[in-house]
Amino acid sequence: MEVWPGTPYPLGATYDGTGTNFALFSELATRVELCLFDDAGVETRVDLAEVDGFIWHGFLPDVSPGQRYGYRVHGPYDPARGWRCNPAKLLLDPYAKAVEGPVDWDESLFGYPFGRPWERNGTDSAAHQTRCVVVNPYFDWRGDRHLDIPYHESVIYEAHVRGLTLTHPELPPQLRGTYAGLAHPAVVEHLQRLGVTAVELMPVHEFIDDHHLVQRGLSNYWGYNTIGYFAPHHRYAARGTRGQQVTEFKAMVRTLHEAGIEVILDVVYNHTAEGNHLGPTLSFRGIDNPAYYRLAQDPAHYTDYTGTGNTLNVRHPHALQLIMDSLRYWAVEMHVDGFRFDLAAALAREFHDVDRLAAFFDLVQQDPVVSQRKLIAEPWDIGAGGYQIGNFPPLWTEWNGRYRDTVRDFWRGTPGTIGEFASRLTGSSDLYASSGRRPYASINFVAAHDGFTLHDLVSYDAKHNEANGEGNTDGTDDNRSWNCGAEGATDDPAIEALRERQKRNLVATLFLSQGVPMLLAGDELGRTQLGNNNAYCQDNAISWVDWERAAGFTELAEFTARLARLRREHPVFRRRRFFEGRPVRGTNLEDIAWLTPDGEPMTDREWTAGHAHALTVFLNGEGIPERDRRGRPVRDDSFLLMANPSADRRPFTVPGPAYGTSWTDCLDSSDPTAGILAAGGMAAAAPRCRPGDVLMLEAHCLRLLIRAR
């Protein structure tokens, strides 16, 4: 086979219309063989003899898209020193744009014979290993470009490609569970009705099922087990896995963009699927173990800040380059609009401590492509000092776990939460203001993939993870949930009504809070995991959105859609700057006021009283200190938000005329059909109330009033 010298950049397999350039980094290697496989699985080995700066490369004019390939890396094997090269192991290209098929967990995939972890296993793994695929980079984007929707105008929908689409009755069977299924009009129209501006997809980078899960008949459903940072996961492709998955993913992005919906990827750059020192040799480990992984003081083992057995070595320039090249590839070639970084604190560990000035953040900050995409951190890992909420650099937004915990506590009636609830409702200035960030640095959520669904949050006091096969010991016990009087399913109408009201309270709080709301897919449809708060291995009805069940929760879906419309139409709920609590120029009214249920200003004593639960919040639409895109002042209606999380029905007094002389019901969580939101915005048709009027709020109820014009 003809082999030309080729070039050391770009890394990976790059087809240019005349042939394919292959380039692989390894500082440890003494020899690198490119392995090509035909349709019968016959292997042809080609030496990459050119080496520049530890990049082994060559150009093959006869290789075109669809070609299967892998590598064999010769070099030192001495696990005690962290060296694990073994040419008997077929290795995946870290820069592969497509991967075909699963691994089967045969013993040959491991660098050692089972039971003898320090011996070298010389059995060839090729028959049991998956293959990389050369892809065609050309695609007709039809003028598609990034939507660049501002954070403060965003509504994020966290979704699983397979779980969202697998049971949808309007999708053809062959499209269910796929990228093409996510782009189907039935799914897109549902997202548009909800007011979604971005889907945040759970991992779609190529991942594999953990060995221990396969042995138990389970799978890594969530996908936090990456083995290929450039390849869309092959099992989510409807039209083939010889590169077709790349085209299908691009078509999905193009369709969602046409619908005004951005695509954000949940990315797992903190670890790989190769696990700890007893894991398989699939890619990085056999290419250059010390470059790609953080080794422990004993280099035979790995430093583990992720709970998976290894941590990617972000202190090494080539590991950092891998991450940055991957991010740029998805942003430029795949038109992805942003990234949510799993266990992002692990990427900030220079030596041991988390460092907000880490090299990774420096690289992102100065990168002209990546810095302009949405960057969302999961601001923790499992290492010491790993909980870093509020400490990421100004360019970043963060999943706000304190928002989730506080809002859950408030609505289940936990004493002493009113002060922190006020902070979370107004954008968490205590976490973000001191570093120059804005309210939209807070990605707010009350439910996410990791934990209870919204329905289960109000239906279970404890987790029920027995199906995971771990004796119900996995998953958190800190759920801050309340079952409303019965554990799990019930036919008690009073309990069912309370649960639906609590769902509306939580969703309404989410959309009326400053910051960016993130809704878990299916929460608007009553999705349940039957109390499982760690369904990472449940690729079945436990995890999938049940579209047949969803038909019984149309009222909640409509309520959610109305809230999204309210937020979109009223900038007072999506301010770009924090409230200051000072009078607006030319008036005696603050931009925000905190009132007791009696309609009087809150005092320090009331803020700190452990028994205090209920409150009224005045949001001044004339106090928005910002301008629109044309430089005009932003003005809005003013609102009164009344919250009664207590178990008793109680009176709320409309505050004095200084705040407004006439108010109209906007929404009421005790009656989703009430208020102008349910009446098509016809404020004149809704009853009005005036200062001094007493409104009775049901127990566990949120009510929103709009000042009449």
Side-chain angles (χ1 to χ4, degrees):
M1 180 170 291
E2 191 173 5
V3 182
W4 301 350
T7 59
Y9 188 85
L11 289 162
T14 306
Y15 176 71
D16 67 0
T18 63
T20 303
N21 190 79
F22 293 88
L24 179 77
F25 159 77
S26 178
E27 188 172 351
L28 276 185
T30 57
R31 178 188 176 194
V32 171
E33 292 178 292
L34 170 66
C35 307
L36 305 175
F37 294 87
D38 64 17
D39 289 344
V42 176
E43 178 181 356
T44 300
R45 301 185 186 182
V46 178
D47 270 298
L48 297 183
E50 299 289 333
V51 189
D52 292 287
F54 306 116
I55 309 296
W56 302 74
H57 58 89
F59 184 90
L60 277 67
D62 297 323
V63 169
S64 57
Q67 173 67 58
R68 301 176 178 97
Y69 75 98
Y71 288 106
R72 297 182 186 272
V73 174
H74 300 252
Y77 184 84
D78 187 352
R81 302 179 69 176
W83 300 340
R84 295 178 179 267
C85 296
N86 185 345
K89 309 306 163 193
L90 181 69
L91 303 175
L92 297 177
D93 180 359
Y95 281 73
K97 305 299 192 303
V99 174
E100 180 187 45
V103 299
D104 67 4
W105 292 108
D106 184 78
E107 184 176 352
S108 64
L109 295 166
F110 294 78
Y112 60 92
F114 287 169
R116 305 192 301 278
W118 307 119
E119 293 183 22
R120 181 177 175 276
N121 181 355
T123 306
D124 194 325
S125 68
H128 306 278
Q129 167 73 301
T130 184
R131 308 282 192 263
C132 306
V133 179
V134 177
V135 305
N136 188 338
Y138 304 106
F139 180 77
D140 182 5
W141 282 103
R142 302 176 191 167
D144 178 77
R145 62 184 63 190
H146 294 294
L147 299 180
D148 292 324
I149 298 171
Y151 274 115
H152 70 284
E153 296 177 5
S154 296
V155 174
I156 298 174
Y157 191 77
E158 190 196 20
H160 189 286
V161 170
R162 180 171 167 82
L164 179 62
T165 62
L166 196 64
T167 73
H168 201 299
E170 296 182 44
L171 269 60
Q174 68 273 19
L175 298 187
R176 295 177 186 177
T178 69
Y179 304 119
L182 187 60
H184 189 276
V187 177
V188 173
E189 288 166 9
H190 176 73
L191 297 175
Q192 289 178 312
R193 283 194 299 270
L194 280 179
V196 168
T197 69
V199 289
E200 181 177 301
L201 299 180
M202 291 179 67
V204 298
H205 286 172
E206 187 66 39
F207 63 87
I208 61 175
D209 295 322
D210 311 65
H211 191 200
H212 70 93
L213 293 177
V214 173
Q215 290 176 315
R216 303 207 310 265
L218 299 170
S219 64
N220 193 316
Y221 170 72
W222 283 355
Y224 292 95
N225 205 33
T226 305
I227 197 63
Y229 289 115
F230 293 76
H233 189 55
H234 73 279
R235 284 193 304 219
Y236 298 159
R239 299 186 173 97
T241 58
R242 293 282 293 274
Q244 294 95 334
Q245 62 265 55
V246 177
T247 302
E248 187 174 329
F249 184 93
K250 290 178 177 179
M252 176 197 72
V253 173
R254 184 180 63 194
T255 298
L256 289 171
H257 281 180
E258 290 170 351
I261 299 171
E262 294 183 317
V263 177
I264 298 171
L265 299 189
D266 191 338
V267 291
V268 191
Y269 294 115
N270 55 79
H271 75 278
T272 81
E274 290 185 301
N276 65 15
H277 63 287
L278 298 178
T281 298
L282 302 175
S283 181
F284 311 91
R285 172 176 283 139
I287 293 171
D288 197 319
N289 191 53
Y292 282 117
Y293 293 116
R294 294 191 67 150
L295 304 184
Q297 188 171 359
D298 171 7
H301 297 82
Y302 297 88
T303 300
D304 182 11
Y305 294 120
T306 65
T308 64
N310 68 61
T311 305
L312 209 65
N313 186 10
V314 293
R315 296 179 298 177
H316 193 283
H318 280 281
L320 275 173
Q321 181 185 2
L322 172 78
I323 296 173
M324 296 305 299
D325 285 350
S326 171
L327 291 169
R328 277 191 295 270
Y329 173 77
W330 288 95
V332 174
E333 298 297 328
M334 308 293 264
H335 287 210
V336 163
D337 302 281
F339 306 93
R340 179 266 189 189
F341 293 78
D342 177 66
L343 299 183
L347 300 174
R349 291 186 181 271
E350 287 288 296
F351 294 96
H352 298 288
D353 294 335
V354 177
D355 183 358
R356 70 194 301 269
L357 300 178
F360 172 69
F361 293 131
D362 291 342
L363 288 173
V364 169
Q365 181 73 38
Q366 60 79 41
D367 191 282
V369 173
V370 179
S371 65
Q372 299 309 300
R373 300 297 103 227
K374 286 183 168 67
L375 303 171
I376 304 170
E378 182 185 37
W380 50 78
D381 64 21
I382 70 164
Y387 195 74
Q388 292 292 316
I389 193 165
N391 292 332
F392 277 69
L395 192 66
W396 291 70
T397 62
E398 299 174 13
W399 267 28
N400 191 342
R402 287 182 61 179
Y403 179 94
R404 170 200 60 204
D405 294 346
T406 301
V407 171
R408 289 182 177 190
D409 280 343
F410 179 80
W411 281 112
R412 68 185 180 129
T414 303
T417 59
I418 194 167
E420 186 161 2
F421 177 76
S423 180
R424 304 301 151 239
L425 185 73
T426 55
S428 297
S429 60
D430 58 326
L431 300 178
Y432 304 115
S434 63
S435 59
R437 290 197 276 175
R438 302 289 180 83
Y440 51 74
S442 179
I443 306 297
N444 299 328
F445 63 103
V446 293
H449 71 272
D450 189 359
F452 280 149
T453 65
L454 180 67
H455 181 85
D456 291 357
L457 187 63
V458 300
S459 304
Y460 294 90
D461 278 352
K463 66 188 181 185
H464 296 269
N465 297 356
E466 290 80 7
N468 295 355
E470 300 176 39
N472 205 33
T473 61
D474 63 303
T476 183
D477 292 311
D478 184 21
N479 295 295
R480 304 180 189 226
S481 59
W482 176 41
N483 65 18
C484 298
E487 188 73 356
T490 180
D491 56 5
D492 186 319
I495 293 176
E496 289 184 331
L498 176 56
R499 287 177 176 176
E500 292 308 306
R501 187 158 70 250
Q502 283 287 74
K503 289 184 206 175
R504 291 191 289 269
N505 289 333
L506 291 162
V507 173
T509 302
L510 178 65
F511 279 88
L512 300 179
S513 296
Q514 306 300 319
V516 181
M518 185 186 80
L519 187 69
L520 175 62
D523 273 356
E524 78 284 5
L525 303 171
R527 187 172 77 89
T528 178
Q529 293 180 170
L530 305 177
N532 192 321
N533 73 353
N534 188 36
Y536 75 103
C537 56
Q538 300 297 331
D539 187 4
N540 51 47
I542 290 176
S543 296
W544 305 333
V545 173
D546 184 344
W547 288 92
E548 182 178 347
R549 171 184 164 86
F553 293 88
T554 56
E555 193 174 76
L556 179 60
E558 291 170 2
F559 185 79
T560 305
R562 292 197 298 269
L563 281 163
R565 189 184 77 219
L566 174 72
R567 182 181 180 87
R568 183 170 62 251
E569 294 176 352
H570 291 283
V572 74
F573 298 113
R574 45 182 177 83
R575 291 166 52 108
R576 287 175 283 153
R577 289 177 172 80
F578 291 107
F579 291 102
E580 296 181 350
R582 294 199 292 264
V584 176
R585 179 178 296 179
T587 75
N588 294 321
L589 285 178
E590 300 92 342
D591 54 2
I592 188 170
W594 303 93
L595 309 171
T596 67
D598 295 330
E600 299 297 327
M602 294 272 287
T603 65
D604 289 344
R605 181 174 176 275
E606 286 158 334
W607 277 117
T608 57
H611 63 275
H613 291 299
L615 80 164
T616 295
V617 188
F618 169 71
L619 302 170
N620 190 344
E622 298 295 320
I624 304 174
E626 50 212 42
R627 296 178 178 271
D628 65 17
R629 295 181 179 181
R630 296 186 178 182
R632 298 168 299 194
V634 176
R635 295 289 181 265
D636 195 12
D637 295 301
S638 295
F639 291 85
L640 288 175
L641 189 157
M642 298 174 173
N644 176 26
S646 69
D648 300 314
R649 188 170 183 260
R650 65 178 301 170
F652 276 67
T653 301
V654 178
Y659 296 99
T661 58
S662 181
W663 298 88
T664 300
D665 258 318
C666 196
L667 66 86
D668 184 343
S669 69
S670 68
D671 181 2
T673 65
I676 62 172
L677 282 184
M682 300 300 294
R688 299 193 177 197
C689 52
R690 303 190 181 281
D693 286 354
V694 176
L695 308 178
M696 294 303 298
L697 261 68
E698 298 296 330
H700 312 292
C701 179
L702 180 147
R703 195 164 175 178
L704 186 70
L705 308 180
I706 184 171
R707 188 163 64 188
R709 296 179 179 178

